[in-house]
Amino acid sequence: MADDRFRAILDGDRCVNPASVFDPLTARMAGDAGFELAVLGGSVAALVILGAPDHALLTLDELAGLCRRICRNAPIPLMVDADHGFGNALNAMRCVEELELAGVAGISLEDTVLPYPFGLTEPTLLSVEEATGKIAAAIAARRNPDFAILARTTVRQGEIDDLVERARAYAGAGASGIFLTRARRIAEVEAVRNATKLPLVLGAARGELASANLASLGVRVCLQGHHVLPAALSAAWKSYQTSRGSPLAEQGPPDDFMDRYSEAARYENLIDKFLK
């Protein structure tokens, strides 16, 4: 069953910063440190499961399996980046069913076209009609109304009317909240809040939002980046170098170590070869 503690955060009057986690141990550590909410990012899941960058290569079963292991004995609720729901509206329904059964407290479901079709290597958004249908289907699939389904969209500069239209449509479809990425201005957040009255989630607090009173703007969750996994991997790199007696151990990993070990260049070459 869904965890109603996440719903309580969304219905509250504070802005909570979640802990970025990637396995059962980090979830327990986050709870012990006093965090009220954990988040599993899509890029984090891709790195942990595939050792690869986030190019929409994960399967639903792989993500659900990781979520199940994290939630099995986690002390705090888990919010999960469910990307595009792994396909169309029917896939989004299956995504909700699997992640709710895994013990997840809520998901974000984005309106980005994923994976990128041939010839398209920059993000583009679904039509409002298709994205709204996916949200409605996801809502219909959940068993417990406490399971939060956040409609995630990208703030595009100069297109605030489209942003408001999308937010209203998603709210009308039953979304539990609106998740905004790339928001930079207070006016963007205010426009969505005034149009929907739904709780808001921010992917980050940048630009004017870095110094704003987010709680007063209706923001109930604001992510702070996914720094824990790189920090953990940096410590692992140093431990390996130290155990081999390498002088590199004191220098720390190279600046590009995350790209190196996730084979980022290899995937970029594959994109250039097969998708452009």
Side-chain angles (χ1 to χ4, degrees):
M1 299 295 287
D3 192 323
D4 62 3
R5 290 176 295 174
F6 184 33
R7 176 66 69 169
I9 290 171
L10 294 176
D11 291 341
D13 58 5
R14 299 178 300 121
C15 179
V16 170
N17 301 123
S20 178
V21 304
F22 59 85
D23 68 358
L25 293 178
T26 51
R28 292 173 195 161
M29 290 179 193
D32 189 54
F35 283 91
E36 300 173 62
L37 178 67
V39 60
L40 175 62
S43 60
V44 172
L47 287 168
V48 170
I49 296 172
L50 301 178
D54 189 9
H55 292 306
L57 300 175
L58 275 181
T59 68
L60 174 56
D61 281 351
E62 288 170 332
L63 179 62
L66 177 57
C67 293
R68 191 174 298 110
R69 291 189 289 275
I70 294 174
C71 294
R72 185 175 64 86
N73 196 24
I76 54 178
L78 178 68
M79 178 178 76
V80 175
D81 175 3
D83 287 336
H84 61 315
F86 297 88
N88 62 24
L90 298 183
N91 298 111
M93 295 181 78
R94 171 81 193 283
C95 177
V96 168
E97 292 167 357
E98 293 297 330
L99 295 186
E100 187 176 2
L101 286 172
V104 170
I107 64 171
S108 61
L109 191 63
E110 65 185 88
D111 56 6
T112 312
V113 176
L114 290 172
Y116 291 166
F118 178 83
L120 180 65
T121 55
E122 293 296 326
T124 189
L125 302 186
L126 297 170
S127 69
V128 175
E129 293 76 16
E130 181 176 358
T132 302
K134 288 178 70 172
I135 294 295
I139 297 295
R142 69 183 178 187
R143 298 183 179 184
N144 187 328
D146 282 333
F147 184 85
I149 297 175
L150 306 169
R152 173 172 165 168
T153 193
T154 301
V155 177
R156 297 180 292 180
Q157 187 174 2
E159 297 190 31
I160 198 164
D161 290 342
D162 177 73
L163 174 65
V164 169
E165 178 189 2
R166 287 177 178 275
R168 282 179 174 154
Y170 303 158
S176 309
I178 306 295
F179 189 133
L180 299 177
T181 63
R182 299 188 182 180
R184 296 291 187 276
R185 297 188 296 131
I186 292 174
E188 295 162 345
V189 176
E190 286 180 331
V192 173
R193 176 66 169 177
N194 291 337
T196 68
K197 306 304 180 186
L198 287 177
L200 305 181
V201 175
L202 294 185
R206 299 195 176 108
E208 294 178 357
L209 300 173
S211 57
N213 184 336
L214 297 180
S216 69
L217 295 174
V219 177
R220 297 297 170 251
V221 177
C222 182
L223 278 62
Q224 295 182 303
H226 300 293
H227 308 302
V228 174
L229 179 58
L233 293 175
S234 177
W237 184 94
K238 183 173 182 178
S239 178
Y240 291 136
Q241 296 293 332
T242 300
S243 67
R244 297 294 295 170
S246 170
L248 296 174
E250 295 304 315
Q251 300 176 17
D255 292 340
D256 67 343
F257 88 107
M258 290 294 293
D259 286 344
R260 178 188 303 181
Y261 294 116
S262 67
E263 298 185 321
R266 171 175 172 261
Y267 283 97
E268 289 300 325
N269 289 335
L270 290 173
I271 289 170
D272 289 340
K273 184 175 182 179
F274 296 114
L275 294 181
K276 290 183 179 180

